[in-house]
């Protein structure tokens, strides 16, 4: 393979016309320049320069390699500019993964801020339900994922978790339910009820299962739905009760009653999982800050609806 540095030495000699002038331009000795050209000629297997009076001129092979050396220099310059733009957050692509209820509340406003601050950065955005979006970060397929991550669960090497908000679950009851008029509901009061499931097995369902276990029972799921709006419809029809997180209750069904749950209160912890190496990029840091700001608003909205 031809040595790129020697190609640039050859280019300096050809453009300056003499070995001495090229040496002065490069900061080398004339002897060092001659040695570099000789080594390149051995690599190329042909003469690259010929003497003309006190100077030199390129052979056909020398002219060919000089032209390619110029292209290489231009490509390196473009690469340096592109790298500088990427590091400054002016260009690039961010791979972002999220689960459904985080989309409108957290991800949408955060991406709007990112676009305003970094118009040249493109977001590769993908919904991963029902898969855990954390896996995309762990496998190196995403720079950031909004995840439900219990504080006791380990996370993989090279991934940093940034807490966004705690999203409490509330009891969703038919309008005519015996507890509909209560200010809050103790979880054990729902032990004998039939339940409408709104979560697939995984990190969002686990806080419900764990809290019910702490209250001394296991919920009797008679209907399964993996969509909060549909689950609320089943509750409104009197087919059961449910526990749903605040972010999933932004549009409550008109025929259900939502009440806080106590003793204990199930809570899902929502975090941003970020590849540590990606934290060097200004655009990702700004996206993370925007997610945290959106999380404050989302938590306030959830609290106001309870």
């Amino acid at each position: 393979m031809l040595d790129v540095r020697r190609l640039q030495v050859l280019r300096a000699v050809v453009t300056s016309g003499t070995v001495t002038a090229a040496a002065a331009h490069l900061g080398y000795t004339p002897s060092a320049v001659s040695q570099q050209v000789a080594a390149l000629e051995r690599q190329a297997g042909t003469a690259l320069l010929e003497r003309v009076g006190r100077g030199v001129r390129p052979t056909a092979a020398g002219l060919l390699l000089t032209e390619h050396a110029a292209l290489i220099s231009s490509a390196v310059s473009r690469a340096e500019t592109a790298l500088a733009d990427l590091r400054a957050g002016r260009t690039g692509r961010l791979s972002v993964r999220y689960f459904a209820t985080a989309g409108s509340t957290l991800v949408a406003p955060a991406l709007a801020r990112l676009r305003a601050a970094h118009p040249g950065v493109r977001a590769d955005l993908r919904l991963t339900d029902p898969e855990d979006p954390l896996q995309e970060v762990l496998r190196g397929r995403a720079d950031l994922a909004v995840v439900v991550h219990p504080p006791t669960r380990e996370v993989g090497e090279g991934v940093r978790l940034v807490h966004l908000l705690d999203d409490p679950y509330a009891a969703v009851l038919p309008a005519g339910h015996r507890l509909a008029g209560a200010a809050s509901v103790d979880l054990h009061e729902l032990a004998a009820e039939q339940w409408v499931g709104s979560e697939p097995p995984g990190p969002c369902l686990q806080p419900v299962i764990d809290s019910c276990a702490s209250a001394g029972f296991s919920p009797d799921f008679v209907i399964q739905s993996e969509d909060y709006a549909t689950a609320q419809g089943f509750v409104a029809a009197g087919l059961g009760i449910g526990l749903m997180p605040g972010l999933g209750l932004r549009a409550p069904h008109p025929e259900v009653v939502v009440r806080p749950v106590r003793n204990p209160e199930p809570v899902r912890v929502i975090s941003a999982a970020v590849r540590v190496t990606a934290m060097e990029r200004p655009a990702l840091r700004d996206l993370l800050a925007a997610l945290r700001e959106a999380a404050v608003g989302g938590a306030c909205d959830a609290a106001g609806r309870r």
Side-chain angles (χ1 to χ4, degrees):
M1 180 181 294
L2 297 176
D3 188 286
V4 173
R5 290 175 300 174
R6 291 170 182 164
L7 285 171
Q8 297 308 318
V9 171
L10 172 66
R11 181 184 175 216
V13 173
V14 171
T15 55
S16 63
T18 68
V19 170
T20 301
H25 173 72
L26 296 171
Y28 295 168
T29 65
S31 175
V33 170
S34 296
Q35 290 174 8
Q36 292 291 315
V37 173
L40 184 61
E41 287 180 327
R42 287 194 296 272
Q43 284 185 314
T46 187
L48 301 176
L49 297 173
E50 58 185 8
R51 289 198 171 276
V52 180
R54 295 183 178 180
V56 293
R57 67 184 178 193
T59 64
L63 184 60
L64 175 69
L65 291 185
T66 298
E67 292 171 349
H68 281 280
L71 293 175
I72 292 170
S73 180
S74 177
V76 169
S77 177
R78 290 196 304 272
E80 290 174 342
T81 300
L83 178 61
D85 287 341
L86 177 68
R87 294 183 64 182
R90 292 187 289 269
T91 61
R93 180 187 295 266
L94 289 177
S95 299
V96 180
R97 303 293 181 262
Y98 68 102
F99 60 94
T101 51
S104 61
T105 306
L106 303 180
V107 179
L111 283 180
R113 280 191 55 188
L114 176 71
R115 182 175 293 180
H118 302 274
V121 175
R122 181 169 181 173
D124 172 19
L125 185 65
R126 195 171 302 169
L127 176 68
T128 59
D129 280 349
E131 298 297 325
D132 182 0
L134 176 61
Q135 297 304 314
E136 292 287 285
V137 178
L138 293 174
R139 294 167 184 163
R141 298 175 183 169
D143 300 306
L144 179 149
V146 180
V147 301
V148 174
H149 193 284
T152 56
R153 192 171 122 198
E154 294 294 327
V155 68
E157 184 179 356
V159 176
R160 176 184 170 190
L161 279 179
V162 178
H163 178 264
L164 296 178
L165 79 156
D166 295 335
D167 190 19
Y169 286 72
V172 181
L173 312 171
H177 193 274
R178 59 186 174 84
L179 297 173
S184 63
V185 176
D186 278 2
L187 190 55
H188 73 84
E189 295 181 277
L190 303 176
E193 299 282 345
Q194 293 186 322
W195 286 56
V196 174
S198 57
E199 311 278 6
C204 290
L205 178 61
Q206 202 58 48
V208 174
I209 299 299
D210 292 345
S211 295
C212 289
S214 296
F217 71 97
S218 178
D220 178 20
F221 291 108
V222 295
I223 294 177
Q224 292 288 348
S225 171
E226 297 181 4
D227 173 79
Y228 294 121
T230 302
Q232 288 185 60
F234 286 127
V235 173
L239 299 175
I241 60 93
L243 288 189
M244 301 179 199
L247 293 186
L249 293 170
R250 290 174 60 84
H253 192 287
E255 296 180 22
V256 303
V257 173
V258 178
R259 293 291 179 263
V261 175
R262 300 288 182 263
N263 301 319
E265 179 185 53
V267 176
R268 65 177 184 178
V269 180
I270 299 178
S271 303
V274 189
R275 288 171 54 208
V276 173
T277 54
M279 290 292 290
E280 300 176 357
R281 300 174 59 183
L284 187 135
R285 293 198 300 268
D286 286 351
L287 174 60
L288 191 55
L291 282 169
R292 297 178 78 170
E293 183 174 313
V296 172
C300 291
D301 287 348
R305 288 190 299 272
R306 298 184 65 191

